[in-house]
Amino acid sequence: WGALFQELFRPCEAIENAVAAKRMEIGGDYISAVFRFQNLLGDFKEYKYSDIKDEASREQLIERCLQGLSMLMEKHPGMPVLVTSDSGIFVERASGLPGVHVVGGSRVHIGSNTSDKSDVYLNSFVDFYMLAGSQKIYSIHSGRMYVTNFPTYAAKLNDIPFERIWL
């Protein structure tokens, strides 16, 4: 799968530059953790998925995911972690942890956004190529979070280990 993908697709210069800059910032090998909330936190409008209305329940989900991230970091001491998510709220919170790196920029779902500006979609492609450059990818889920295959295919690109973690 990965060889065929690489034969058919090449990242544009903007994606290559963003990936190179993020890899330089990280400075070496890293693992990745993917969190897909699909509007549960109310900041990623997609299709007809509803958010968690109760602020305390949203905060509880965020804390549970941050605890899962901390456990992952304990499993890989000293290893930088790239965190990707469809939630800007979660990305902001996770970025406060030492050793965590995130890709900045807007977060949109390619299939549900109508913008004609290509830079709106840049983050999704940078996330994909950064995940594909990891030593290992973890997809972390809790409760009603979406079980995405986005990181599965990023792992297939370079045949790197992939694991799902249920909190």
Side-chain angles (χ1 to χ4, degrees):
W1 189 93
L4 292 175
F5 182 95
Q6 292 178 40
E7 183 179 325
L8 292 171
F9 303 103
R10 300 266 189 267
C12 68
E13 186 177 346
I15 294 170
E16 285 181 336
N17 290 342
V19 168
K22 184 54 65 176
R23 285 187 177 152
M24 186 176 293
E25 175 191 306
I26 294 172
D29 291 341
Y30 59 95
I31 59 170
S32 295
V34 178
F35 298 83
R36 182 79 157 90
F37 293 93
Q38 202 164 40
N39 199 39
L40 288 175
L41 302 182
D43 66 337
F44 188 79
K45 305 299 180 202
E46 181 177 17
Y47 307 115
K48 295 181 180 179
Y49 293 98
S50 61
D51 61 335
I52 299 172
K53 302 295 183 205
D54 178 56
E55 182 66 35
S57 296
R58 275 196 306 253
E59 183 60 30
Q60 184 179 33
L61 177 58
I62 292 169
E63 284 299 323
R64 188 172 188 168
C65 289
L66 289 173
Q67 288 172 0
L69 179 57
S70 292
M71 289 186 312
L72 183 64
M73 294 170 78
E74 288 173 10
K75 184 177 177 178
H76 298 274
M79 177 73 77
V81 180
L82 174 74
V83 171
T84 69
S85 178
D86 55 353
S87 170
I89 291 169
F90 185 76
V91 166
E92 179 69 26
R93 294 279 296 273
S95 69
L97 296 174
V100 168
H101 298 266
V102 299
V103 175
S106 61
R107 286 163 177 65
V108 298
H109 189 279
I110 291 173
S112 63
N113 191 288
T114 58
S115 176
D116 61 351
K117 297 180 180 175
S118 62
D119 61 334
V120 170
Y121 307 104
L122 182 67
N123 189 19
S124 297
F125 288 100
V126 174
D127 279 354
F128 184 79
Y129 283 104
M130 287 299 298
L131 290 171
S134 303
Q135 297 301 298
K136 184 169 185 175
I137 301 172
Y138 294 91
S139 185
I140 303 176
H141 314 277
S142 179
R144 296 177 7 214
M145 290 174 69
Y146 185 72
V147 181
T148 178
N149 281 317
F150 184 78
T152 309
Y153 285 100
K156 287 180 179 190
L157 183 58
N158 293 319
D159 196 28
I160 59 173
F162 173 80
E163 183 179 337
R164 290 197 190 278
I165 297 176
W166 292 92
L167 302 174

